[in-house]
Amino acid sequence: MKTKRIIDGAGRTAIAAVAAVVLLTAAAGASAQKLVTGAHARGGPATPVPVATFVPCDSSLGSTTRCGTVAVPLDRANPGAGTIPIYFELYPRSDSTLPSLGTIVPATGGPGNSNTARRWRLLSLFGPLLDRRDLLLIDYRGIGQSAAIDCPALQHFTGDLASAVRACGAQLGAASGRYGSGDVADDVDAVRAALGIDKIDYYGVSYGAVDVRAYAYRYPDHLQSAVLDSPWLTEDWTFQASNARFYARVQATVCSRSASCSGANPDPEHVLAWLAQQLRRHPLDGIGYDADGTPHMLHVDESTIFDILSADNFGDPAFLNQGELTAAAQAFRHGDAVPLLRLAAESPESTDSGDPAGFSSAGAAVATYCADGRFVFDQNAAEPARRAQLNAAFAALPKDAFAPFSGAAWWAANDRVPLGLFGGFAPDECVAWPAPAHPDPPYPAYQRFPKTVPTLVLGSDLDAVSLDETKALLPLFPQHQFVEIANAGHVSSLLWSSCAADIVRHFITTHATGDTSCAGDPKTPFHTPFDPPTNFVPYYGVGSFPLETDAAVPARVDPAGINRTDRQERQVASVAWSTIADGFMRAQRMYGTNGRGLRGGSYTVTTSDTTVAIDYQAVRFSNDVTVTGHATRDLATNTIDAQVTVAQAEGKGGKQHGRGDPLQGTLTIHGVLYTPGEPDGQVRGTINDHQVALLVPMN
């Protein structure tokens, strides 16, 4: 039996930030080995621009791609500190017969994320523009192939956070303060100049927006346009209480958009508040089974809720935990902990960031954050004094600052790992980091963007960066156009919405948003803008987790058919559909091919490029009904077709209405899983020889 600890810091903190993924392929090349000169936007003498040193690209990148490095000073205030290589990949435009229309430079944020490691997604996003535009991917200093920072205790998180941060700072020594977004902006401009590029279209997502703002402050004359999707607010980051409010808001929004969840739970925020209070006072110990059926010994406290509500924001199926937590809390309220324990088992802490030269460097993330941040403690004070100042500021916060959660739970969840799923940081992340030798903030607080730069700002209603935070930034951008993307999570144009992706491409082309009518429909199903598209199953809300069938909401009678069932039989049909749907939800979280039903039984999942098929063997969603049979999901249309047998075992509801035998039946179910505008699913067949014509909600 696997053992998992989810207490005193079980969680991925979700604050505003991950920086998502982007794709690009083909940008234009310019041999650009000529020497040019330039002056810093804030003044200063012209300095020689480093020469690009070209190296062979990986064969998978195509024959026209150009790869190389530009050597830049590690510390521009200390020439004796040496240089650091900044790696780039230049994807030239496919049509070289016409003049280039510009160069797109993406910043995928994190901080600490490698831009080149996300090349395929970026190529997919910007591919339609790359006939006349070049794509330039740059790994920022300390990340990816630009001398990635490898601090083992942070990268493969071990020990306590303060010790890991302290060790990383000591490892970097005098360079510990030289990984901020200000230095990054100077590096990006060095690469731009070395390649002979005049102006760039800078696309920044999440923390990447900090990089864009830093570049705009320092090099406005070389910025053609800017796109900020889910932008971080950099001013005063230490206490991000909105992180807690985000969880409550998104959980309630997801439930409200599910007919099943909202029908059974009209006040999901109140339910979440009850759950937080209950686990704060009485933590839960028990065994939970994950999607593969692996048991985990769990200690679930209030901070575990942060684990559960942040674990699936980029996973497939997206926001399933939000769609289930309300019903799981209601079951727990009535003594049934099984659904809650399963959610906890499926939401483990993420403590290992893998290869530091791969997708992200945890050391670079902390180094960037601690260089850029504005804190409530004096960074030049000794560590004990810093911590005392931080604790005093935290204690002075209003008691409801983290409602519906306690501040202690929020702190614990943030303090367990160097970076949460959303790239969030612990409030004391930088207490143990070395004081900067000569601070160089990326830009002054609330610095206005250049008046000459057209700027697109995107925000989403399910984003970890709240719409209020995003809208608060808008006055800083004189030439901004703002679009709110409904029913999308963090970084809408990259991860969630082809509508948002189209708006971004149109803006880069025309500096106008064009028709944005597609952005406002909150019933739009989730889909990613990648080519080929990734089929995200949208959130699937659950109304309840009935322990016994007599507690289930009965399926509705279908007036289009002949139905002879009574209430108990309609409840059995409802549980049968819940069992089938639950299998398809869990299939997307499995690492293997064999899963376990919520309350027992097993199923086998077979996948292809077009379908997911599940074979159920005595699977139980409630204690007293088993489902056996076969079901398929068409990945292109989300259509579910199932043929199953159901049996209600003897138990609390097994013998009712004077029957001597439990109920048995054969059912077929057909419907489209959470696709707005589609009707409820149809259930046909017989239960105890009674003809069935019923309807079940598909979301």
Side-chain angles (χ1 to χ4, degrees):
M1 179 183 296
K2 292 183 180 178
T3 299
K4 178 173 169 242
R5 181 174 172 81
I6 308 189
I7 183 174
D8 296 337
R12 300 166 180 159
T13 164
I15 5 189
V18 177
V21 260
V22 222
L23 336 79
L24 274 73
T25 326
S31 125
Q33 290 191 346
K34 64 182 180 180
L35 193 65
V36 296
T37 60
H40 195 286
R42 294 171 296 174
T47 56
V49 175
V51 173
T53 301
F54 292 95
V55 299
C57 297
D58 186 279
S59 60
S60 66
L61 303 186
S63 60
T64 62
T65 305
R66 308 193 71 191
C67 303
T69 61
V70 174
V72 302
L74 175 61
D75 186 343
R76 288 176 170 85
N78 179 16
T83 63
I84 186 171
I86 304 301
Y87 175 78
F88 65 85
E89 292 174 2
L90 183 64
Y91 295 83
R93 63 193 185 279
S94 58
D95 187 350
S96 59
T97 64
L98 295 172
S100 170
L101 295 179
T103 299
I104 301 170
V105 178
T108 59
N113 284 354
S114 164
N115 293 316
T116 64
R118 290 155 175 81
R119 62 179 65 87
W120 304 116
R121 291 183 173 182
L122 291 165
L123 284 166
S124 176
L125 174 64
F126 293 113
L129 304 183
L130 299 183
D131 56 339
R132 299 285 305 278
R133 288 172 174 78
D134 305 330
L135 175 65
L136 176 59
L137 306 185
I138 303 171
D139 273 347
Y140 296 157
R141 55 173 54 206
I143 299 170
Q145 298 185 63
S146 295
I149 295 173
D150 183 8
C151 292
L154 282 175
Q155 192 71 21
H156 317 288
F157 185 56
T158 56
D160 67 278
L161 184 59
S163 296
V165 168
R166 192 179 300 112
C168 186
Q171 177 181 319
L172 295 179
S176 62
R178 301 271 46 93
Y179 291 90
S181 297
D183 281 298
V184 165
D186 293 339
D187 296 345
V188 168
D189 199 66
V191 174
R192 175 205 62 76
L195 295 176
I197 298 168
D198 182 22
K199 291 180 180 289
I200 64 174
D201 296 288
Y202 215 158
Y203 170 80
V205 303
S206 189
Y207 199 94
V210 180
D211 303 318
V212 176
R213 291 179 66 187
Y215 190 85
Y217 170 59
R218 294 163 184 245
Y219 304 98
D221 292 342
H222 294 294
L223 191 57
Q224 182 165 264
S225 71
V227 178
L228 308 179
D229 191 345
S230 301
W232 267 75
L233 176 66
T234 58
E235 284 74 13
D236 189 14
W237 299 344
T238 302
F239 297 127
Q240 301 180 9
S242 60
N243 176 30
R245 293 192 294 273
F246 154 78
Y247 284 123
R249 174 177 54 81
V250 172
Q251 181 245 357
T253 301
V254 169
C255 185
S256 71
R257 292 178 183 170
S258 162
S260 300
C261 186
S262 61
N265 303 283
D267 191 358
E269 288 183 279
H270 177 78
V271 175
L272 183 63
W274 174 86
L275 180 64
Q277 183 182 71
Q278 179 67 18
L279 291 176
R280 188 183 313 146
R281 296 173 176 175
H282 306 288
L284 168 67
D285 293 298
I287 297 173
Y289 293 85
D290 62 23
D292 292 282
T294 303
H296 299 261
M297 287 296 301
L298 302 170
H299 182 95
V300 181
D301 65 5
E302 182 190 6
S303 67
T304 306
I305 301 173
F306 287 91
D307 265 351
I308 293 171
L309 291 182
S310 67
D312 64 348
N313 289 273
F314 292 105
D316 194 359
F319 295 113
L320 176 62
N321 287 4
Q322 283 79 357
E324 290 190 351
L325 184 61
T326 306
Q330 297 285 40
F332 183 49
R333 189 196 293 260
H334 294 95
D336 175 17
V338 170
L340 181 61
L341 287 168
R342 180 174 68 170
L343 287 176
E346 292 177 345
S347 308
E349 307 96 322
S350 178
T351 60
D352 195 322
S353 298
D355 182 357
F359 280 91
S360 62
S361 163
V366 174
T368 301
Y369 175 67
C370 295
D372 290 351
R374 298 176 175 88
F375 305 105
V376 297
F377 53 83
D378 180 1
Q379 288 182 283
N380 291 307
E383 184 177 333
R386 295 185 194 182
R387 188 166 295 278
Q389 293 166 8
L390 177 69
N391 290 341
F394 188 77
L397 290 173
K399 291 185 180 299
D400 61 350
F402 301 92
F405 305 100
S406 67
W410 175 84
W411 189 308
N414 277 268
D415 214 26
R416 287 176 201 156
V417 290
L419 280 175
L421 182 64
F422 282 111
F425 292 90
D428 57 348
E429 190 95 23
C430 298
V431 166
W433 194 255
H438 42 87
D440 187 19
Y443 41 79
Y446 302 105
Q447 173 67 29
R448 288 176 63 82
F449 219 61
K451 294 180 179 180
T452 57
V453 179
T455 307
L456 172 64
V457 181
L458 298 176
S460 309
D461 60 358
L462 301 179
D463 193 352
V465 179
S466 75
L467 281 170
D468 290 342
E469 290 176 350
T470 300
K471 291 176 181 177
L473 280 177
L474 296 180
L476 301 181
F477 300 91
Q479 295 295 325
H480 81 265
Q481 298 174 63
F482 173 68
V483 181
E484 180 178 334
I485 307 296
N487 210 43
H490 194 58
V491 186
S492 62
S493 61
L494 204 43
L495 293 176
W496 299 97
S497 170
S498 61
C499 170
D502 287 339
I503 291 171
V504 167
R505 289 188 288 260
H506 190 275
F507 180 83
I508 290 176
T509 302
T510 66
H511 295 169
T513 57
D515 182 5
T516 62
S517 58
C518 61
D521 184 3
K523 295 183 179 180
T524 302
F526 295 154
H527 46 280
T528 56
F530 309 151
D531 183 19
T534 300
N535 191 277
F536 268 78
V537 171
Y539 49 72
Y540 179 85
V542 173
S544 65
F545 290 100
L547 191 60
E548 303 285 344
T549 303
D550 65 352
V553 176
R556 295 187 296 109
V557 173
D558 185 355
I562 299 174
N563 179 72
R564 306 297 186 193
T565 60
D566 60 20
R567 177 181 174 84
Q568 183 188 5
E569 291 161 342
R570 293 197 297 274
Q571 288 173 312
V572 168
S574 176
V575 169
W577 162 242
S578 295
T579 307
I580 293 166
D582 190 67
F584 281 106
M585 294 300 107
R586 261 64 217 177
Q588 297 166 92
R589 293 184 165 179
M590 292 168 56
Y591 291 97
T593 59
N594 298 314
R596 179 187 187 276
L598 175 66
R599 305 185 194 278
S602 63
Y603 52 86
T604 302
V605 179
T606 305
T607 60
S608 72
D609 291 339
T610 58
T611 61
V612 175
I614 301 181
D615 290 293
Y616 299 83
Q617 183 60 47
V619 176
R620 288 184 285 122
F621 188 79
S622 68
N623 276 334
D624 58 341
V625 169
T626 61
V627 174
T628 300
H630 181 81
T632 60
R633 170 182 159 234
D634 185 298
L635 293 176
T637 64
N638 273 342
T639 300
I640 303 290
D641 284 290
Q643 306 83 37
V644 298
T645 60
V646 296
Q648 186 178 26
E650 292 188 26
K652 184 175 180 180
K655 293 183 179 180
Q656 295 183 8
H657 304 297
R659 294 188 176 95
D661 299 312
L663 299 183
Q664 296 183 349
T666 301
L667 301 175
T668 62
I669 301 176
H670 172 84
V672 180
L673 190 65
Y674 193 77
T675 300
E678 293 289 339
D680 288 344
Q682 288 187 329
V683 185
R684 296 292 187 265
T686 60
I687 297 178
N688 274 23
D689 298 325
H690 291 171
Q691 195 165 351
V692 172
L694 301 172
L695 297 172
V696 289
M698 303 298 284
N699 72 328

